[in-house]
Amino acid sequence: MSFERLADVLFPDLENTPEYYLEKYPKRNMKEGAQVVRYAPSPTGFQHIGGVFAALINERLASQSEGVFFLRIEDTDQKREVEGAIVDTIQTLKNFGMKFNEGMTGEETEIGAYGPYRQSLRKEIYKTFAKDLVKKGLAYPCFCTADSLNATREKQMAEKITPGYYSEYAICRNMDSEDAIKRIEKGDRYIIRIKSPGDINTRVEFHDLIKGNISFPESNQDIVIIKSDGLPTYHFAHAIDDALMRTTTVIRGEEWLSSLPIHVQLFEILGFEAPKYAHIPTIMKNDNGSKRKLSKRKDAEAAVSYYKEAGYPMVSVTEYLLNIINSTYEGWRAENPTADYHEFPVVLDKMSKSGALFDLAKLNDVSKEVICRMKAEKVYDYYITWAEEFNKEMYGLVSLKESMLKDVFNIDKEGPKPRKDFAKWDEVKEKIFYFFDELFSKETEDKIELPKTLSLENSKAVIEAYAKSFKFNAETQEAWFDDLKAIGIELGFCANRKEYKANPENFKGMISDVAGAVRAALTHRANTPDLYAIMQIMGEDKVRERFENYIK
Ligand code: GLU
């Protein structure tokens, strides 16, 4: 049997040998412990939050260890490819503040000495290694049709034995090379499979950096390495690429854990040293009490675009993902309130081994903290950038009032307990609308929120009296409140809770109700930031105008 001739017929025009590539992509010269990791998405056009999650773990580990993080595009399934997806992926990484050292930088461009970083441009490389395996009798062409494979599968299922292409079911495994050559020359379609040396009765012990110690039976399947279109399967491309790109640690979704026996074997057959592996738990959500995978079809929050449209700062989403990666993040953040999240050390073996639960309510809490820590100017910059794309009306209003808006975003920011008003930018309008006449004038009376003890009529009476005698230019907040209190007492409101509780019938209400009426007249809302600050930002003219309109 001449494997050599078979290899030449299968792959006639290859210029290079495996040795050539192994030399071309030498072992990287890096400091001890530096990790070479990658993000390796397929360009399907959909940016899943799970992808960002995986990329973030990789990027953090590379950066922490002063290693290399590269972007490889896995486009060997050309049916699934979507135009523009590569640029979109790169932009997504950028939006999340992730820098990569090597890989695709555009649809056609890349940086780094270990490329090409796009699998469809690496066909020659895969073929060279596949040819070498055929030459050594470790891989072979398989001519079985889809129909015959299906028939075998059905038979195996009916007999309750493991389905697949192995031992006696691997019909083409021992085909004579000359017979195979004749079929190839006749134009029969074929794929290339490995000749698995595995025995399912032998268990392999393995250490996964997240899952810990695991073991599995050796693979005995003659898996496909080159498809009929000449492109490699995921399995083969993974082994070749991660070996030649000198990846030290493969950090990928746990859906690949079941393929690990195949991958370990491929590295062995190819004579490569296997990388370390870390299988990341799948992002799950709680759906009416039961956990399930975050689904691209059912859950809007599976898409990265969801966060952008709702207006979550990407740093909030990143901090939230860090919370999922290591639950110690929350404590670290509490102890280091002003630190950059890049300073948090991500540790793989502290990661939850089972599903990572994704929870929008928790994301909102994290995001409120993140926005609360931002300076007002930064909040403004973020908001205006978001509004320009997603809320043209607010963009128009806000861009004309930059300095006012910065004051608004600064209310109660510098004190010991800064306000946590917003989790995302689409919540801003409802919370600040009253600063804009254009929005405020659209409000109807039924939207006015009042203290329970006050009717609309009574609140109007309060405002009528207050408007006549209040002093706008109080020196301090205390002086302003004393003024409000004095007017309230005059009107028959009580300044002392105990006194009021003892004889409520003697009073019209509490002083807080007077403030409630003022708040209602100015904002129509019962919950707002500090009223004094609001009045200062609105200015005397607007305050007086609002009072007038309120009692009209
Ligand atoms: N292209 C594979 C995927 O998107 C990559 C998995 C890996 O990181 O190896 O699932």
Side-chain angles (χ1 to χ4, degrees):
M1 268 216 268
S2 167
F3 293 133
E4 188 111 4
R5 211 171 91 76
L6 175 60
D8 282 336
V9 172
L10 283 168
F11 303 102
D13 305 312
L14 296 178
E15 268 173 34
N16 298 309
T17 58
E19 292 68 36
Y20 165 83
Y21 290 112
L22 289 164
E23 255 170 56
K24 181 172 177 196
Y25 306 112
K27 219 170 163 153
R28 293 166 187 266
N29 196 358
M30 293 188 311
K31 73 169 221 195
E32 176 87 26
Q35 298 192 44
V36 180
V37 294
R38 79 291 193 280
Y39 178 43
S42 299
T44 59
F46 184 82
Q47 304 298 331
H48 195 292
I49 193 68
V52 172
F53 184 56
L56 183 63
I57 300 173
N58 278 287
E59 188 266 353
R60 289 291 73 228
L61 289 180
S63 164
Q64 283 170 206
S65 67
E66 295 173 46
V68 172
F69 174 49
F70 66 83
L71 172 65
R72 181 171 71 222
I73 298 297
E74 306 215 321
D75 60 344
T76 56
D77 186 356
Q78 301 198 313
K79 288 189 293 296
R80 291 174 64 211
E81 194 164 335
V82 168
E83 230 187 281
I86 296 179
V87 171
D88 209 32
T89 301
I90 294 168
Q91 190 57 42
T92 301
L93 291 179
K94 205 168 151 208
N95 290 347
F96 281 91
M98 288 184 252
K99 291 196 193 83
F100 51 86
N101 315 87
E102 291 174 16
M104 301 295 296
T105 52
E107 218 72 36
E108 312 256 322
T109 51
E110 61 174 36
I111 43 164
Y114 288 78
Y117 295 90
R118 183 176 180 160
Q119 288 183 331
S120 57
L121 301 177
R122 300 173 62 79
K123 275 194 225 169
E124 284 286 303
I125 303 178
Y126 305 124
K127 284 184 178 165
T128 303
F129 283 89
K131 179 174 185 174
D132 192 53
L133 291 182
V134 174
K135 220 190 244 178
K136 292 174 176 157
L138 297 173
Y140 63 91
C142 165
F143 301 91
C144 291
T145 60
D147 284 348
S148 94
L149 292 175
N150 280 340
T152 308
R153 197 182 177 78
E154 270 165 32
K155 184 168 174 276
Q156 290 165 330
M157 304 282 255
E159 289 171 13
K160 296 200 171 18
I161 51 178
T162 312
Y165 206 80
Y166 60 97
S167 59
E168 75 260 37
Y169 303 102
I171 303 165
C172 299
R173 180 185 247 248
N174 296 317
M175 184 183 287
D176 183 80
S177 290
E178 291 308 319
D179 292 343
I181 291 169
K182 273 190 208 120
R183 292 193 64 171
I184 297 163
E185 284 171 347
K186 214 170 80 194
D188 283 0
R189 276 170 79 85
Y190 61 86
I191 53 177
I192 309 286
R193 292 181 184 273
I194 56 156
K195 215 175 264 179
S196 172
D199 174 354
I200 46 158
N201 297 313
T202 306
R203 282 196 87 78
V204 181
E205 304 289 329
F206 196 84
H207 182 76
D208 183 276
L209 297 178
I210 294 174
K211 305 274 174 195
N213 290 334
I214 48 177
S215 73
F216 45 78
E218 268 182 5
S219 167
N220 66 344
Q221 299 271 347
D222 284 4
I223 57 120
V224 182
I225 55 172
I226 303 281
K227 300 179 285 183
S228 59
D229 60 5
L231 285 166
T233 53
Y234 168 76
H235 306 308
F236 196 54
H238 154 54
I240 300 290
D241 292 348
D242 284 315
L244 294 183
M245 294 177 180
R246 307 290 177 175
T247 305
T248 59
T249 317
V250 171
I251 305 170
R252 62 182 180 187
E254 67 184 347
E255 66 274 21
W256 294 110
L257 192 59
S258 58
S259 306
L260 193 58
I262 293 173
H263 300 159
V264 169
Q265 187 172 75
L266 272 173
F267 275 91
E268 225 172 80
I269 296 178
L270 286 160
F272 299 150
E273 189 189 333
K276 294 196 187 90
Y277 283 88
H279 287 91
I280 312 168
T282 307
I283 292 199
M284 313 286 276
K285 88 177 248 173
N286 193 333
D287 189 4
N288 285 325
S290 63
K291 265 204 212 172
R292 65 166 174 77
K293 226 169 116 175
L294 200 59
S295 138
K296 174 170 151 182
R297 257 171 291 118
K298 285 192 226 149
D299 308 310
E301 71 269 32
V304 168
S305 55
Y306 169 84
Y307 303 91
K308 193 168 177 223
E309 280 161 33
Y312 286 99
M314 290 303 129
V315 51
S316 299
V317 183
T318 304
E319 292 214 18
Y320 176 58
L321 293 176
L322 286 168
N323 256 297
I324 304 184
I325 295 171
N326 283 159
S327 57
T328 48
Y329 186 80
E330 200 166 347
W332 175 86
R333 180 41 93 201
E335 274 171 29
N336 303 278
T338 55
D340 190 302
Y341 69 79
H342 293 99
E343 289 167 33
F344 173 76
V346 166
V347 183
L348 282 184
D349 61 11
K350 286 223 185 96
M351 200 166 176
S352 128
K353 295 190 195 333
S354 49
L357 201 57
F358 196 82
D359 172 11
L360 283 176
K362 177 81 185 155
L363 166 64
N364 285 344
D365 289 347
V366 170
S367 192
K368 279 184 180 166
E369 297 274 353
V370 168
I371 295 177
C372 169
R373 286 195 301 269
M374 284 178 192
K375 292 256 174 264
E377 285 77 22
K378 196 160 171 197
V379 175
Y380 177 82
D381 288 346
Y382 265 107
Y383 184 62
I384 192 96
T385 309
W386 174 84
E388 185 173 11
E389 197 172 345
F390 298 105
N391 192 329
K392 287 275 181 286
E393 181 192 31
M394 287 308 280
Y395 178 71
L397 294 171
V398 164
S399 48
L400 294 176
K401 296 248 165 94
E402 178 172 340
S403 122
M404 178 186 89
L405 245 282
K406 286 182 181 166
D407 289 343
V408 170
F409 287 140
N410 206 37
I411 300 178
D412 282 350
K413 221 178 209 324
E414 263 131 42
K417 274 199 158 182
R419 293 184 64 85
K420 291 179 193 151
D421 287 313
F422 320 112
K424 48 192 169 59
W425 308 126
D426 70 358
E427 294 169 357
V428 170
K429 178 181 174 187
E430 168 54 28
K431 291 191 171 143
I432 65 163
F433 77 99
Y434 48 81
F435 285 105
F436 299 94
D437 290 335
E438 297 83 344
L439 302 174
F440 190 74
S441 61
K442 288 187 199 149
E443 286 258 313
T444 46
E445 274 196 350
D446 60 324
K447 288 242 180 105
I448 298 176
E449 297 171 2
L450 282 164
K452 278 191 218 70
T453 43
L454 273 192
S455 67
L456 183 62
E457 280 318 301
N458 288 345
S459 77
K460 288 187 177 185
V462 170
I463 295 302
E464 191 157 12
Y466 182 75
K468 269 193 209 124
S469 51
F470 87 105
K471 289 200 239 11
F472 183 81
N473 287 322
E475 291 279 294
T476 58
Q477 181 167 14
E478 289 72 42
W480 165 82
F481 188 71
D482 286 345
D483 180 47
L484 182 131
K485 196 153 105 185
I487 298 172
I489 292 171
E490 187 101 335
L491 290 171
F493 287 83
C494 184
N496 180 305
R497 178 163 297 278
K498 257 199 194 145
E499 220 178 292
Y500 177 71
K501 281 252 158 94
N503 296 298
E505 62 289 349
N506 293 351
F507 302 98
K508 284 194 186 147
M510 291 276 303
I511 292 299
S512 55
D513 299 329
V514 179
V518 174
R519 182 173 273 116
L522 296 178
T523 71
H524 288 176
R525 293 293 178 271
N527 287 311
T528 70
D530 180 59
L531 193 49
Y532 173 71
I534 292 176
M535 288 170 78
Q536 296 300 307
I537 293 173
M538 285 184 170
E540 183 162 8
D541 291 349
K542 188 185 297 297
V543 167
R544 290 202 180 277
E545 186 188 303
R546 290 265 161 105
F547 286 159
E548 263 166 47
N549 288 338
Y550 192 72
I551 54 185
K552 244 194 228 160

